Amino acid sequence: LPAKARTSNAKIVAAARELLESSGVEAVTMAAVADKVGVKAPSLYKRIRDRGDLLRHVANEAALELATTLDAAVRGDDSAQDLERIAMAFRDWVHRSPAAYALLTSPVPETWRVDPELNVRMSAPIVNAARELAGPDAALDAARTFVAFAHGFVSLEGAGTFRLGGDPATAYRRGITALVRTMASDLD
Amino acid sequence: LPAKARTSNAKIVAAARELLESSGVEAVTMAAVADKVGVKAPSLYKRIRDRGDLLRHVANEAALELATTLDAAVRGDDSAQDLERIAMAFRDWVHRSPAAYALLTSPVPETWRVDPELNVRMSAPIVNAARELAGPDAALDAARTFVAFAHGFVSLEGAGTFRLGGDPATAYRRGITALVRTMASDLD
DNA sequence: ACCTGAACACCGTTCAAGT
DNA sequence: ACCTGAACACCGTTCAAGT
């Protein structure tokens, strides 16, 4: 009568994320996830509240990964270059996990939103570098502008709205460079 | 045996858009839309292919409206000020139709995508002003940067990811001003 | 303790039958 | 010509019954 667990929270979330990235959100179905972990759909409800909760877990996992990636991009020697490195690492990560990023940034009912602490961890390296570069007073606005541009660029890129021609990679780099230059001059 | 039409394509799209804005995408249900126009769900299929097609029509309508709004914001006297006016008109429109804007910019299967011509009309006023301000060579990159920032800002704002404190309106205006200044200096 | 089949509600879509 | 009820497939979710 013991009945050992045949799956785990981690496996379920991993399965959901694979489905998300390979076939889109609408493919992360309770039945499909259950199947991937070798169980039937109703069993999932022993570990998660509902489908929204499952997607929130996936978003949280992705957010943690992204935060770690951005952190790893800073060297601490030159804040301007750190910001450019963060920007590139950011775009690379989004290219690797486009569906997860879309999920992470899609407007979602309050209950399913990603852990606020993770939002802080994601923006921390940017805010830190911005503070060094633009001073404490301008740091917040500068970081916000940086994030807005980077997010806007990659999400338009991902939505395929960017068919104006030209190379997106250099357009991105140029935009970031211009922004960083502006942030630095705010200090004067 | 004539059987006059009890509804119309325009009424159906309008009903869908109202539902979208008042209750979110998941509330624009075939049954709910049909009910709003005084008909049963199966009748909708006489006019639209499927739900995706209906949402595409809504997105097209919204895109046309947004394009018109941006057009109305340009005065033609000063390209830098025109860009700032466009930016403000853009944010105001998004605040008025947040769900339609999210729909408009959400990554969607090829078949449901908004009319490419409307994408051109939406970006035209921006590209024109950018050309005047930054010169023909830099215009495209400048417009792209402008759009990326504006889109990124309003969508982060809409997703509630911007809880860093401070006033979003002035942060937005500052960011736009800085961008426009950079665009102008590209000319040198 | 964990799992499952059966059942229910809800939604998109089709189609034969009505006028 | 346009409309509808009935039916089907699909999906999320619950729950009683199995081990």
Side-chain angles (χ1 to χ4, degrees):
Chain A
L1 301 84
K4 287 259 283 281
R6 205 174 304 168
T7 185
S8 69
N9 222 304
K11 273 185 203 164
I12 290 170
V13 174
R17 176 138 188 221
E18 281 170 36
L19 279 167
L20 171 70
E21 220 48 83
S22 69
S23 320
V25 221
E26 75 286 351
V28 9
T29 253
M30 300 305 272
V33 172
D35 201 55
K36 227 166 154 51
V37 301
V39 105
K40 297 295 178 183
S43 299
L44 299 179
Y45 293 85
K46 288 281 132 169
R47 323 210 177 264
I48 58 168
R49 201 165 353 141
D50 52 26
R51 183 172 177 267
D53 192 44
L54 175 55
L55 291 176
R56 193 178 53 83
H57 276 101
V58 173
N60 275 339
E61 197 186 84
L64 180 59
E65 207 182 280
L66 177 52
T68 307
T69 301
L70 298 189
D71 250 327
V74 346
R75 295 195 198 159
D77 51 345
D78 178 334
S79 53
Q81 284 191 37
D82 271 348
L83 280 169
E84 298 187 8
R85 281 189 285 257
I86 289 169
M88 297 307 149
F90 169 73
R91 182 162 173 268
D92 289 345
W93 186 87
V94 174
H95 284 353
R96 257 177 278 128
S97 304
Y101 185 71
L103 178 68
L104 197 54
T105 56
S106 68
V108 109
E110 191 67 45
T111 337
W112 300 351
R113 207 158 286 171
V114 351
D115 189 341
E117 194 224 330
L118 286 170
N119 271 319
V120 174
R121 284 185 62 173
M122 284 177 54
S123 50
I126 299 163
V127 175
N128 288 338
R131 185 161 31 233
E132 274 186 53
L133 191 64
D137 290 351
L140 211 64
D141 270 10
R144 226 194 297 242
T145 301
F146 181 91
V147 171
F149 172 77
H151 166 67
F153 194 98
V154 300
S155 53
L156 289 176
E157 209 179 3
T161 318
F162 251 172
R163 273 187 262 283
L164 301 178
D167 180 32
T170 66
Y172 181 70
R173 173 163 255 125
R174 258 185 232 166
I176 287 291
T177 307
L179 275 183
V180 169
R181 214 182 305 136
T182 304
M183 288 164 70
S185 73
D186 276 2
L187 196 50
D188 305 343
Chain B
L1 299 82
K4 288 257 285 279
R6 206 173 303 168
T7 185
S8 69
N9 221 303
K11 274 185 204 164
I12 291 169
V13 174
R17 177 137 187 222
E18 281 169 37
L19 279 166
L20 172 70
E21 220 49 81
S22 69
S23 320
V25 224
E26 74 285 350
V28 9
T29 253
M30 300 306 272
V33 172
D35 201 54
K36 226 167 157 50
V37 301
V39 105
K40 297 296 178 181
S43 299
L44 299 179
Y45 292 86
K46 289 280 133 169
R47 326 213 175 261
I48 57 167
R49 200 165 352 139
D50 53 24
R51 183 172 178 266
D53 193 43
L54 175 55
L55 291 176
R56 192 178 53 84
H57 277 102
V58 173
N60 276 339
E61 197 185 85
L64 180 59
E65 206 182 280
L66 177 53
T68 307
T69 301
L70 299 189
D71 250 327
V74 346
R75 295 196 198 159
D77 51 344
D78 179 331
S79 54
Q81 283 191 37
D82 272 348
L83 279 169
E84 296 186 11
R85 283 189 282 257
I86 289 169
M88 296 307 149
F90 169 73
R91 182 162 171 266
D92 288 345
W93 186 88
V94 174
H95 283 353
R96 258 177 278 127
S97 305
Y101 185 71
L103 178 67
L104 197 56
T105 56
S106 69
V108 108
E110 192 67 45
T111 337
W112 301 351
R113 207 158 286 171
V114 348
D115 190 343
E117 194 223 330
L118 286 170
N119 269 321
V120 174
R121 285 185 62 174
M122 284 177 55
S123 48
I126 298 162
V127 175
N128 288 338
R131 187 163 28 232
E132 276 185 52
L133 190 65
D137 290 351
L140 210 65
D141 270 11
R144 226 194 298 243
T145 301
F146 181 90
V147 171
F149 172 77
H151 166 67
F153 194 99
V154 299
S155 54
L156 289 175
E157 208 179 2
T161 318
F162 252 172
R163 272 187 262 286
L164 300 179
D167 179 30
T170 66
Y172 181 71
R173 173 164 254 123
R174 255 185 235 168
I176 288 291
T177 306
L179 275 184
V180 170
R181 212 182 305 137
T182 305
M183 288 163 71
S185 74
D186 276 2
L187 196 52
D188 307 343

